[in-house]
Amino acid sequence: MDRRSLLRGAAATAAATVLPPSADARAHDGPAPLFKAGTDYPSARWLPASSSNLTASSRPSSYRVDRVVIHVTQETFADTVAIFRNPARKVSAHYLVRSSDGEVAQCVRERDVGWHAGNWTYNTRSVGIEHEGWVDRPEYFTDALYEASAALTAAICDRYGIPRDRAHIIGHNEVPGATHSDPGPHWDWTRYIRLVNFA
């Protein structure tokens, strides 16, 4: 392959993480479009993590799923997608929610084990949802983000019979052995659990 072809391929890969949804669809028309693969959540856009950053599995037959773990990225949406796609980073979550409009991306199939909780047992038994933003910047926790995430969490709870309560919908900081503080003090748990239960 010549240098020009390599550069064209690298540019297409970089553009895939930053183009708006309508541009994504145009950029990937063809026999195997990147963003039209089946997802576990119908309104999610498929933005797959590197297979080096997850454990292939057959949940819930291989591991019971009984938790949802809520995260905050400490990165932008596009940078989080790039991190999940980088095989050297060894991290991924099942879903990512964008702050500005609540867009949901699926990065790991729910049957597979995402590497998000920092605890193998919790990785095997949970679905991880990342939210674009920073723990000390509450302006990232928009109405759109809360509403889209709550609808997603409600669907996950229904699929696996997970109670829609704080014992089963937990923050990353509540995972045993956690070294992270997300979702942080500005995450409105009362509002979130109410939205999950009304979804």
Side-chain angles (χ1 to χ4, degrees):
M1 182 179 286
D2 66 14
R3 184 172 181 272
R4 180 174 290 156
S5 296
L6 285 170
L7 290 174
R8 194 177 304 126
T13 299
T17 64
V18 296
L19 292 174
S22 58
D24 287 336
R26 288 193 305 272
H28 297 285
D29 286 339
L34 183 58
F35 301 114
K36 301 212 190 305
T39 60
D40 299 302
Y41 186 64
S43 60
R45 185 161 54 119
W46 180 235
L47 295 173
S50 168
S51 61
S52 297
N53 294 341
L54 57 93
T55 300
S57 189
S58 57
R59 301 187 318 164
S61 58
S62 55
Y63 299 101
R64 180 173 166 229
V65 177
D66 63 4
R67 296 283 186 281
V68 176
V69 179
I70 301 299
H71 302 265
V72 172
T73 60
Q74 300 295 106
E75 297 285 351
T76 65
F77 184 95
D79 285 349
T80 302
V81 171
I83 288 167
F84 288 173
R85 287 182 169 173
N86 180 344
R89 297 303 292 266
K90 304 301 180 194
V91 65
S92 65
H94 296 90
Y95 294 98
L96 170 62
V97 183
R98 189 160 59 196
S99 172
S100 62
D101 58 4
E103 178 175 8
V104 176
Q106 183 166 5
C107 305
V108 176
R109 293 299 303 267
E110 290 178 16
R111 68 181 176 232
D112 296 327
V113 178
W115 297 351
H116 60 95
N119 174 313
W120 175 247
T121 299
Y122 272 70
N123 281 342
T124 63
R125 68 191 295 186
S126 66
V127 173
I129 304 176
E130 287 279 3
H131 298 82
E132 179 184 28
W134 283 262
V135 297
D136 58 348
R137 295 172 68 182
E139 64 270 20
Y140 274 87
F141 303 153
T142 62
D143 292 345
L145 178 139
Y146 273 120
E147 290 164 11
S149 176
L152 170 61
T153 293
I156 293 165
C157 289
D158 288 349
R159 190 159 31 256
Y160 298 102
I162 301 170
R164 298 182 185 194
D165 61 29
R166 281 288 284 120
H168 296 86
I169 303 167
I170 65 172
H172 189 185
N173 61 312
E174 297 171 295
V175 172
T179 59
H180 291 248
S181 63
D182 60 305
H186 298 293
W187 184 261
D188 189 339
W189 279 110
T190 301
R191 177 186 183 189
Y192 189 70
I193 296 298
R194 185 182 306 124
L195 286 168
V196 170
N197 279 284
F198 284 131

